[in-house]
């Protein structure tokens, strides 16, 4: 699925990690690299939204706070 952030399209990939059982949303900003996630938000198997964590791609470098807040809002709406 695609969501709009700041006038550009961000691909949001929603999947269940079969290895860990985590529910994961990856955010791929095509303005950066289309084939790599900028960040991922995951909820552990059996966990709830209050257990969610954010992982930032170490190759991305700094991620703007506005993007982080936006991504967390999108994830909360889809995972909550």
């Amino acid at each position: 699925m695609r969501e709009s952030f700041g006038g550009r399209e961000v691909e949001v990939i929603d999947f269940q990690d079969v290895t860990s059982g985590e529910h994961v949303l990856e955010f791929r900003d095509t303005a950066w690299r289309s084939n790599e996630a900028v960040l991922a938000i995951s909820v552990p198997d059996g966990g709830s939204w209050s257990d969610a964590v954010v992982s930032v791609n170490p190759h991305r470098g700094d991620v703007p706070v506005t993007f982080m807040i936006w991504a967390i809002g999108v994830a909360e709406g889809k995972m909550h």
Side-chain angles (χ1 to χ4, degrees):
M1 77 188 90
R2 294 194 179 272
E3 298 282 340
S4 181
F5 171 77
R8 63 184 188 267
E9 295 292 311
V10 175
E11 186 176 6
V12 181
I13 301 170
D14 187 347
F15 64 95
Q16 192 78 22
D17 185 323
V18 294
T19 306
S20 66
E22 292 179 317
H23 181 191
V24 180
L25 284 179
E26 280 189 357
F27 292 81
R28 297 180 179 194
D29 185 352
T30 56
W32 179 54
R33 290 185 184 157
S34 61
N35 62 343
E36 288 188 31
V38 172
L39 59 89
I41 298 174
S42 61
V43 174
D45 187 29
S48 66
W49 178 248
S50 62
D51 301 310
V53 295
V54 176
S55 299
V56 177
N57 184 332
H59 302 296
R60 172 60 170 88
D62 296 337
V63 175
V65 170
T66 54
F67 186 88
M68 184 78 68
I69 292 168
W70 170 82
I72 289 169
V74 169
E76 184 175 22
K78 296 188 181 309
M79 298 173 131
H80 195 68

